[in-house]
Each structure stands twice: as structure tokens, then as C-alpha cells.
Amino acid sequence: MSYELKNMAYNRKERILLIYTGGTIGMGRNQKTGALEPLDFKLLASQTSELEYISTGIEVYQFNPPIDSSDMTPRLWAQLVRIIADHYDEYDGFVILHGTDTMAFTASALSFMLENLTKPVILTGSQLPIGQLRTDGKENLITSIEIAAAHHENGLPIVPEVCIYFSGKLLRGNRSTKINADGFNAFESFNYPHLADAGVTITYHEEHILKPDFSRPLTPHFALDPNVVVFTLFPGVQDNIVRHVLDAPELRGIIMRTYGSGNAPQRPWLMKMLKDASYRGVNIINISQCAAGTVEMARYDTGYQLKNAGVISGFDSTVESAVTKLMHLQGHYSDFRQVRQNMCRNMRGEITLPKSQ
């Protein structure tokens, strides 16, 4: 659907909800230990004088207590979805302040859990606390708020999807991955173009931005089944170790990180284990260990054997997106065939399907 909705009434609120979950951006240094710890973000926000120059109204919802992003869980993803759904009609957009370590997981999960999202949900954070002199937090925060409030002349938001904004780049959430633990340039989207680039002005690349049906309501989803494992192939992988993983009775899904364009070693024991697991209903998703590129299991015989074993392509998905998509689908379908079928669909712009599909 295009933005040709000139006569559609869009009741703007001129308000943004800022959701502080925790993370470096809102941390301060403990005077006794010297370690960084989460602080009350409302106090820190009051010290950020730049927020006074933003014309859009900003209200803050704070996790109590704030969490380190390493402690993010599916339960907290559902809590975020509940906050957004409960306040959806009150705000034009949402900015989530989040630690960087699991930000791409959260952005991916929210993209699947917020079906028919028609408002911006922008995740951001920082590598240095917002109270420090050299912080990257202020620019990330202020630009994220500006993007969440940005709209067309007819009132419709410019970026109605879940995104990560960091260091001048707006990325689709379920295409993003953390690439740098120390630098300000912490995130990238290798298999999909930037949605916007922020310099002196913010340049939106609207041809790459999702265009939802604005006449349909948001459908929030809360169910997730985390009985998933990420399994990375490497030279010398041992059959007895793999067997223990694949034989776990609770296991419903595997994200298998293979070589190159989706290749695996031609070991009879590996193909038999994968085939047996697939036969009993475990969904095995093949994604590449490479940062860029896509899985093409028909290119080499080593990939073709995986296809014959019941492994399905994850195309150009990130690990974060594949894991959360699988959790989402497993939470909604008990039949593994329905999960498998939907894993091969481009649900929220998370994968690029071959033109033949």
C-alpha cells in the first residue's frame, strides 16, 4: 500500500512515549565501586537541556528497576508490547532506550509481535552514559525522538516500523546486528539498505521503508516459545555433542549457522541426525555465518544435502531475526508444518526472497 491516502483522517497527538528499559545511556558511576549502574532516567532527562527545544511532547515510562540488556527476556519483550499496545492511541510514536548488547534481538522480536504496526517504534541507546561529556547518547536520543515524530503532510508517519537508530543510521530492526563493542558505530544492516541517514539533515530513503495498511488496527502478540537453540558449525564438530543437543525433548527449533551460502560438512552422521530431527518435527533453519549474503542451498552439493535432510533456508536473515521469528511462530502454532511454512515467508521485511517466490 502506498502513501496515497490524502483524504484519510490521521489524528496526531504531537506526543512521543519514551520507554526507558535500562542500558548504558541511563547509567551513572557508583562513587564507591566506580562501576556503571542504572539510574533514574527521569533525573538524567531533566539534565538534558536539549530536550526542551523539541516541539513534540515527551512522556517517560521507566522500567522499575531498569535492567542491563544482558538480562532481557521474552517476558520483558511481551511487557514492551503491552506498554505500546495499551498506549498506542495516545502517542504518535515510541522511543525505546535499551542496552546495545541485545538491542537487535529486541528490535527483531518487537517487529514480529507488533503486527500491522502503523507508528514508529525506534530503539536507541549509547556506548557512553548520557551524563558523560563525550557521550553519544544525546544525539542518538534526540534524533530518535525527531524520527519518531516525523510525518508526511497528510499526518501519516514517515517510518511506521520497528527500527534501530544509532550513530547517524536508521536501520530496520529485524535486519540489524551489533558489530562493534567499543565504537560509536555499533550497528549495521548488511543485507538491507539504511532507512535513513542523519547528517546536517535527516534523509529518508522511503523506497526502503515498510508501508502498512493504515486502515487496519495494531494486532499485538504476546506468546513466544523459546525452545530454540543456535548451533554454529565449525571444522571438527563432534557427533556426540551434536546428538545431545538434537535429542533434547523440549527442542522445537534450531538456527543452524552454516558456511558460506549455506553449506555443511558432508558427514553421514550429521545428515542423519538432522534428518531424524526434522522428521520428528524440529524446524531447522539454515542461515550463513557470513555477515552479508544469503543462503542458496542449491548452489553446492554440500547445501543440497541439507535440503534433502529437511533443513529449510533462512535466506539472508540475521541470527537475531531468525531466533525471534522462530520463537514467535512457535508461540502461535503447535503444528511444526505451519511454523516451517511461515519461516519461509517475508513477514515484516526481515528476509529477501528469491524473485521466483
Side-chain angles (χ1 to χ4, degrees):
M1 174 168 287
S2 71
Y3 280 112
E4 295 177 2
L5 299 171
K6 304 296 184 183
N7 299 320
M8 181 177 177
Y10 192 86
N11 185 19
R12 293 196 62 80
K13 308 298 181 182
E14 303 304 335
R15 292 197 301 171
I16 297 298
L17 183 61
L18 183 65
I19 305 170
Y20 173 57
T21 67
T24 299
I25 192 168
M27 287 186 171
R29 196 167 298 281
N30 185 301
Q31 297 301 316
K32 292 183 179 179
T33 66
L36 292 174
E37 59 185 20
L39 299 177
D40 187 325
F41 187 78
K42 291 181 181 179
L43 173 63
L44 291 176
S46 68
Q47 299 173 354
T48 307
S49 59
E50 291 86 349
L51 294 176
E52 298 176 6
Y53 298 98
I54 297 176
S55 58
T56 304
I58 303 168
E59 296 179 14
V60 178
Y61 184 105
Q62 179 169 318
F63 273 29
N64 187 20
I67 65 161
D68 186 285
S69 72
S70 298
D71 292 322
M72 185 55 68
T73 64
R75 179 184 63 80
L76 292 174
W77 290 337
Q79 182 179 337
L80 281 169
V81 170
R82 175 63 66 191
I83 293 166
I84 292 170
D86 286 351
H87 299 281
Y88 196 67
D89 294 332
E90 301 169 30
Y91 300 94
D92 297 319
F94 303 85
V95 174
I96 300 174
L97 300 182
H98 194 290
T100 58
D101 286 348
T102 59
M103 188 184 293
F105 283 99
T106 297
S108 296
L110 293 183
S111 75
F112 299 116
M113 298 169 77
L114 295 167
E115 183 180 354
N116 198 51
L117 179 68
T118 57
K119 297 183 179 183
V121 175
I122 313 297
L123 286 85
T124 194
S126 66
Q127 297 286 59
L128 287 174
I130 203 167
Q132 290 192 11
L133 186 61
R134 292 186 55 252
T135 183
D136 55 328
K138 287 187 179 182
E139 191 277 325
N140 286 345
L141 171 60
I142 291 167
T143 306
S144 293
I145 293 171
E146 184 173 344
I147 291 170
H151 56 87
H152 294 278
E153 290 182 2
N154 60 3
L156 295 174
I158 295 178
V159 191
E161 58 173 291
V162 179
C163 304
I164 288 177
Y165 176 78
F166 222 92
S167 190
K169 297 179 291 190
L170 184 69
L171 312 174
R172 176 164 296 161
N174 56 35
R175 292 282 194 158
S176 305
T177 194
K178 187 175 180 181
I179 62 167
N180 196 321
D182 300 314
F184 289 157
N185 186 28
F187 290 89
E188 189 51 89
S189 172
F190 291 106
N191 286 322
Y192 198 78
H194 299 173
L195 303 186
D197 291 289
V200 175
T201 60
I202 300 176
T203 302
Y204 294 96
H205 309 299
E206 296 193 45
E207 68 275 18
H208 302 309
I209 297 173
L210 290 178
K211 297 171 177 59
D213 184 347
F214 286 93
S215 67
R216 291 176 53 212
L218 173 74
T219 302
H221 298 282
F222 304 98
L224 294 164
D225 181 346
N227 287 303
V228 175
V229 68
V230 178
F231 166 42
T232 301
L233 292 176
F234 59 91
V237 62
Q238 295 296 299
D239 58 348
N240 57 331
I241 303 297
V242 176
R243 183 179 294 107
H244 284 301
V245 174
L246 298 186
D247 286 347
E250 303 86 1
L251 183 65
R252 291 189 64 194
I254 299 169
I255 305 300
M256 186 168 66
R257 301 181 67 237
T258 56
Y259 306 132
S261 59
N263 306 309
Q266 299 183 62
R267 301 286 186 271
W269 64 263
L270 178 60
M271 296 303 154
K272 183 178 186 306
M273 287 183 191
L274 293 174
K275 190 171 185 177
D276 290 347
S278 178
Y279 181 78
R280 72 171 191 267
V282 176
N283 288 301
I284 307 170
I285 317 302
N286 183 359
I287 66 172
S288 176
Q289 296 178 26
C290 301
T294 190
V295 164
E296 297 180 61
M297 288 192 288
R299 181 183 293 183
Y300 299 104
D301 184 58
T302 49
Y304 194 79
Q305 288 192 40
L306 291 175
K307 189 175 181 179
N308 286 342
V311 176
I312 63 174
S313 177
F315 303 98
D316 56 352
S317 178
T318 64
V319 174
E320 297 91 337
S321 179
V323 167
T324 54
K325 183 178 182 180
L326 194 51
M327 286 184 182
H328 167 70
L329 292 172
Q330 289 180 173
H332 287 78
Y333 300 109
S334 57
D335 187 342
F336 74 91
R337 297 173 189 86
Q338 290 179 290
V339 175
R340 190 168 296 182
Q341 181 180 5
N342 281 282
M343 282 300 298
C344 294
R345 287 178 53 223
N346 181 20
M347 296 175 60
R348 308 283 193 271
E350 73 280 2
I351 54 176
T352 306
L353 295 175
K355 292 183 179 180
S356 59
Q357 292 185 244

